[in-house]
Amino acid sequence: MTTLAVRVRGRDVTVEAAFTLLIAALIIVAATTSESFLTATNLTNLLKQMVTTGLLAFGMLVVILTGGIDLSVGSVVAFSGIVTAGLVADLPIPLAMLVGVASGIAFGAVNGVLVARFELAPFVVTLAALTTIRGLAFVYSEVPIAPADPGFLTLGSAMVGPIPLITLIMLAVFGIGGVFLARTPPGRSIIAIGGNAETVRLAGIDVRRHIVLAYTISGLCAGLAGIILTSRVGIAQPSVGVAFELDAIAACVIGGASLSGGRGSAKGAFGGVLVLVLINNLLNLYGVQSFWQQVLKGLIIIAVILVQRTRRPRSEAKGRA
Amino acid sequence: MTLRLHEVHKSYGGVEVLHGVTLDGAPGEVLAIVGANGAGKSTLIKILSGAVPMSSGTLTWDGVELAVSSPHDAHAHGIRTVHQELSLVPELTVTENLLMGNFPRRFGLIDWPAAHRRAGQLLQEAGFGVIDPRTRAGRLTVARQQMVEIAKALVSEPSVLVLDEPSAVLAGADLDALFALIRRLQSRGVLVVYVSHRLAEVLELATRIVVVKDGRVVATTTPDATDEGSLIRLMAGRTLDRIYPERRPAPGEPLLTVDGLGRTGEFDGVSFTLRAGEIVGLFGLVGSGRTELAACVFGAARPTAGAAFRSPAEAIRAGVAMVTEDRAGSGLVLGMTVRDNIGLTTWRSTARGPLIDRQRQRTDAAAMIQDLAIAPQGCATMPVVHLSGGNQQKVVLAKWLLTDPRVLILDEPTRGVDMATRVDIYRMIDGLARDGLAVLLISSDLTEVLGATDRVLVMRQGRLTGELPSEGTTEEQVLERAIAA
């Protein structure tokens, strides 16, 4: 039986190694086949592009770990972005930003309460939130808003050495978030809830509160992403962020998260984000038509997941069925 | 012409539960099978119905061997089983449930009036004419659903009808209708296999009675040649060996008092006290309300009468711990490591600032793994799903022992656990009681509930029907109070 333990751990290591290898391979292929990949402009772009997906993916991961899903994040991005851009005209920039993030937190909390307290299906609750919040974004402004104070754009363009500030913010979210999930009682409880909520409840842990917390974190991340996106592109559109939730979910799943909950890590989700962004960037550099990009992305996601499934120990897969 | 099970053995995962059962029945007989919980009745029925294959042995009809490896095979051979668990589709009407695909058609479409007429006729023939075939099955009471189940089994005119505890949910006129139906089937030459806890019924209906115990047939008798008392004696009476530790000295102060606790439809007016240093058994048949009672005491469910803890967290703070009956369903997070499972109850209370004290979690888990001899070695970082049933149970215990409980509720802690681990568990519980804990041991194993405890509470249909000292009490005395006359 000791050998079993070693083998199980061994497999985790192989999966992780294969994953790192995949990302390395993508980078090497990109660097050798495209002259523009290693240019400063492209790399900076790449670092900036991954921020939105990255932030959404972390929030999504926390929700997915509980066994739920948050389809509303794309709409929250739009709402938080356009409200912040609008408020910049009247409020100091930090305050406007705070309102944007707070709106994300509020939406997330409402989602969480509906799922945890009223025991509604996460898919349905967040699907309803998706359309409601999108509608609210348009109610706030049908037309795009350019932030009145150009100081607002500093956030999206500031560089810390060679690295964009917003990328550092995203990395910090993954860093802190990783510690939260791995090392704090609420983080571990969220993962355990996805594994078996009844066991967790009987262990004296308030399951509902943790589920609300998970959706609130997702809302927070989406609110933050909305502000950063607006600040980066310089304009807030009520229509932005459609289907953003799909990339976030894909990143989590590529990173080894189970949609039935209980399994997944911040490190994995971050790897998933890298894979997605690199594939996008590579296909762009090759000048692949955007519709074909979608097709290829879908196929690659399936391939990655198939590889992971075959590498997972059988008995564990069965225990989760 | 007889149906004959010959030398049937059945093992689940290496544990043999049927040790060579032989029994037979002829057309027109009502063959009753009685036995205590875990005697092997359910397994026998599952084999007859094709739900599980036998490990070895034969099933013959009139000397010809029947290959029954699925419910479909059993149906093909004319064997129909009405299980205890209802299997109707609640969203469909009684008619749809009864005819299940065999609808009368007109112009290729289902002829609904004819279908309802046919269903009504089937119910009428079974003596259950009170049921309207147009009702959705889910709207019927459990008793009526049971009647539809029986009518459904009769649609294909089976030659063998197996009824598993059919009377558990029936009463009054419904029960009379069932008995009349069984007598009619009997006169038509159907072999009825009737499994029930209610001995009075068995004595009234059966032509022959087979008593099973510990996976063996221990007696075959007729209603004329026996009575309730003798049957109970046959069902009970296992020999006690040195599996259980010595009994404990007189208990100390009361630690947990339950007064007039009730929950509508499950149990009512339950009062008892658990004292320091004693192990109290709680015995009841399946459905007696013992598990629901435990959930209410622990705060996992809300009682409708009497006071209890309002949440598991409150119970834990007060020093109560509960090991539930269903390890996979509510005891463990199967995909998590042994260490995380053990740490589940304490990672918050022992946290250092916002962070889990990982050093503490490691040493606590290691100490528990050592103390309880949880195998295999080095299992701390293994997903708990890879452990054997007995070791998984020890992980659940470890999790609760870390909360420093004063009262420990154990619901069927030895179910599906091998003998060696059972003995470990009994020793451990004994040690805890000697250290001053109060232990409530809920069990449907008669031998265990008397052997491992100091006194026994007996529950029947949601009420406490007796409190007996374990010393000197016989299994019959416990069973008598647990079985409805």
Side-chain angles (χ1 to χ4, degrees):
Chain A
M1 286 300 266
T2 6
T3 51
L4 177 65
V6 172
R7 213 174 64 226
V8 170
R9 249 175 286 153
R11 283 196 189 190
D12 280 353
V13 173
T14 25
V15 170
E16 221 165 85
F19 208 57
T20 318
L21 224 63
L22 171 69
I23 293 170
L26 278 171
I27 293 175
I28 291 169
V29 169
T32 49
T33 58
S34 165
E35 284 173 5
S36 24
F37 181 76
L38 279 182
T39 59
T41 332
N42 185 55
L43 289 181
T44 308
N45 250 334
L46 195 69
L47 288 176
K48 284 185 172 178
Q49 274 164 8
M50 68 172 68
V51 172
T52 312
T53 314
L55 287 172
L56 297 183
F58 179 76
M60 186 67 72
L61 174 72
V62 178
V63 170
I64 284 178
L65 282 171
T66 67
I69 195 93
D70 187 351
L71 301 178
S72 69
V73 291
S75 301
V76 174
V77 166
F79 185 87
S80 134
I82 201 147
V83 166
T84 308
L87 289 178
V88 163
D90 310 314
L91 294 178
I93 294 170
L95 203 58
M97 289 182 173
L98 206 64
V99 173
V101 175
S103 71
I105 291 177
F107 287 133
V110 171
N111 280 337
V113 167
L114 288 172
V115 169
R117 180 73 189 77
F118 296 95
E119 295 177 8
L120 303 179
F123 190 97
V124 179
V125 168
T126 59
L127 186 64
L130 175 149
T131 160
T132 310
I133 300 168
R134 172 73 59 195
L136 288 175
F138 277 101
V139 168
Y140 186 81
S141 170
E142 273 179 60
V143 292
I145 299 178
D149 184 343
F152 179 66
L153 307 183
T154 319
L155 174 67
S157 57
M159 301 286 284
V160 179
I163 301 171
L165 174 64
I166 54 173
T167 312
L168 289 178
I169 293 177
M170 181 205 63
L171 289 174
V173 166
F174 269 98
I176 297 167
V179 172
F180 168 75
L181 289 174
R183 303 269 327 256
T184 70
R188 298 307 290 167
S189 300
I190 280 174
I191 298 175
I193 285 168
N196 189 336
E198 182 62 7
T199 299
V200 176
R201 183 177 82 94
L202 293 178
I205 295 169
D206 191 332
V207 170
R208 287 175 175 174
R209 224 170 50 198
H210 283 89
I211 290 178
V212 174
L213 175 65
Y215 284 88
T216 308
I217 290 173
S218 180
L220 163 69
C221 288
L224 195 58
I227 293 165
I228 288 178
L229 182 65
T230 307
S231 160
R232 176 162 75 82
V233 300
I235 191 153
Q237 302 196 32
S239 60
V240 80
V242 171
F244 275 17
E245 66 280 0
L246 299 182
D247 271 358
I249 296 167
C252 292
V253 173
I254 292 174
S258 157
L259 284 182
S260 48
R263 195 165 51 88
S265 68
K267 204 161 49 171
F270 184 67
V273 172
L274 282 182
V275 170
L276 279 181
V277 173
L278 281 171
I279 290 173
N280 255 340
N281 190 252
L282 204 58
L283 295 176
N284 271 332
L285 292 179
Y286 287 161
V288 177
Q289 207 198 352
S290 75
F291 299 126
W292 277 111
Q293 285 194 19
Q294 292 183 21
V295 173
L296 281 173
K297 205 160 83 179
L299 294 178
I300 290 167
I301 291 170
I302 297 283
V304 170
I305 294 164
L306 276 177
V307 170
Q308 282 182 1
R309 175 152 292 269
T310 49
R311 308 227 47 137
R312 205 186 327 151
R314 195 159 265 264
S315 50
E316 195 194 340
K318 217 165 36 184
R320 296 183 170 282
Chain B
M1 285 222 301
T2 52
L3 181 80
R4 187 174 167 81
L5 278 170
H6 185 69
E7 276 298 313
V8 171
H9 291 259
K10 175 68 195 174
S11 305
Y12 288 113
V15 183
E16 191 168 272
V17 293
L18 290 183
H19 316 288
V21 170
T22 297
L23 53 86
D24 52 52
E29 261 201 300
V30 177
L31 184 69
I33 300 179
V34 298
N37 290 335
K41 289 173 304 186
S42 303
T43 308
L44 262 180
I45 288 166
K46 283 182 187 157
I47 286 173
L48 264 179
S49 65
V52 301
M54 50 183 116
S55 303
S56 68
T58 56
L59 173 64
T60 57
W61 176 251
D62 213 9
V64 182
E65 183 164 350
L66 305 180
V68 173
S69 57
S70 69
H72 184 82
D73 291 345
H75 294 180
H77 292 303
I79 304 172
R80 281 280 173 170
T81 306
V82 178
H83 291 282
Q84 245 177 303
E85 309 81 36
L86 298 170
S87 65
L88 299 180
V89 184
E91 293 80 17
L92 299 184
T93 60
V94 170
T95 300
E96 286 166 288
N97 271 293
L98 277 178
L99 302 183
M100 269 298 164
N102 294 317
F103 297 112
R105 283 165 194 272
R106 269 180 83 185
F107 314 120
L109 299 175
I110 297 174
D111 182 354
W112 283 112
H116 289 312
R117 264 200 310 280
R118 170 95 183 101
Q121 196 186 340
L122 287 165
L123 289 166
Q124 199 75 47
E125 280 167 18
F128 306 144
V130 289
I131 300 170
D132 178 0
R134 289 174 179 78
T135 329
R136 274 174 216 275
R139 301 194 148 218
L140 297 171
T141 62
V142 177
R144 294 275 151 89
Q145 288 189 41
Q146 174 88 52
M147 289 152 85
V148 175
E149 291 270 8
I150 294 170
K152 185 178 152 192
L154 294 176
V155 171
S156 58
E157 302 193 343
S159 41
V160 179
L161 180 67
V162 184
L163 299 170
D164 187 7
E165 298 279 357
S167 58
V169 298
L170 298 180
D174 294 343
L175 198 56
D176 293 340
L178 174 68
F179 284 8
L181 171 66
I182 290 175
R183 296 220 168 81
R184 278 202 305 283
L185 291 172
Q186 194 184 354
S187 67
R188 257 193 259 157
V190 175
L191 165 62
V192 179
V193 179
Y194 191 90
V195 179
S196 179
H197 277 311
R198 300 194 186 176
L199 299 180
E201 244 164 55
V202 164
L203 288 168
E204 186 186 333
L205 272 175
T207 52
R208 266 191 314 146
I209 302 170
V210 174
V211 184
V212 287
K213 196 181 73 181
D214 296 340
R216 291 192 172 80
V217 172
V218 291
T220 303
T221 178
T222 59
D224 306 332
T226 188
D227 55 36
E228 273 186 53
S230 336
L231 284 177
I232 287 177
R233 266 192 297 285
L234 286 167
M235 287 158 66
R238 207 188 307 169
T239 47
L240 256 180
D241 33 29
R242 299 294 310 153
I243 300 169
Y244 304 104
E246 298 277 306
R247 293 196 208 277
R248 288 132 301 270
E253 42 163 347
L255 291 182
L256 179 82
T257 302
V258 170
D259 189 18
L261 203 62
R263 187 172 151 91
T264 310
E266 288 174 348
F267 59 90
D268 191 26
V270 173
S271 306
F272 61 86
T273 300
L274 301 179
R275 294 167 184 280
E278 69 172 344
I279 302 177
V280 178
L282 176 60
F283 180 85
L285 301 173
V286 173
S288 59
R290 54 203 171 132
T291 296
E292 294 77 4
L293 170 66
C296 278
V297 170
F298 187 64
R302 288 274 161 86
T304 47
F309 297 109
R310 274 167 309 178
S311 70
E314 195 181 292
I316 294 167
R317 274 196 298 276
V320 180
M322 180 169 77
V323 174
T324 56
E325 166 180 37
D326 180 3
R327 270 195 302 279
S330 56
L332 296 166
V333 182
L334 286 176
M336 279 195 335
T337 61
V338 169
R339 184 186 291 154
D340 275 355
N341 268 287
I342 293 178
L344 193 59
T345 49
T346 48
W347 60 34
R348 210 166 38 156
S349 53
T350 63
R352 293 164 61 136
L355 295 185
I356 290 174
D357 186 344
R358 282 210 282 201
Q359 188 52 44
R360 169 99 186 248
Q361 292 269 310
R362 239 193 302 271
T363 49
D364 278 354
M368 277 297 161
I369 289 169
Q370 171 97 46
D371 286 358
L372 302 183
I374 302 176
Q377 270 198 330
C379 63
T381 54
M382 278 172 67
V384 74
V385 68
H386 292 307
L387 270 58
S388 72
N391 284 299
Q392 288 187 2
Q393 188 64 285
K394 289 181 182 175
V395 171
V396 179
L397 281 166
K399 168 177 79 177
W400 288 113
L401 292 182
L402 278 180
T403 65
D404 264 327
R406 304 211 59 204
V407 176
L408 183 60
I409 302 172
L410 302 162
D411 194 356
E412 300 282 3
T414 61
R415 175 180 291 173
V417 166
D418 58 281
M419 206 58 203
T421 309
R422 275 180 180 229
V423 173
D424 283 355
I425 291 176
Y426 297 141
R427 300 233 175 287
M428 198 200 61
I429 302 173
D430 174 63
L432 292 170
R434 284 177 199 276
D435 287 345
L437 267 75
V439 180
L440 181 67
L441 175 65
I442 303 174
S443 174
S444 52
D445 183 323
L446 270 175
T447 321
E448 167 179 298
V449 90
L450 284 172
T453 63
D454 299 303
R455 60 191 167 99
V456 180
L457 305 168
V458 187
M459 220 171 160
R460 179 177 76 207
Q461 292 172 0
R463 289 184 168 276
L464 282 186
T465 50
E467 183 190 330
L468 307 158
S470 307
E471 190 76 62
T473 297
T474 61
E475 296 185 6
E476 293 92 274
Q477 287 170 315
V478 175
L479 257 189
E480 265 169 19
R481 285 168 175 76
I483 293 182

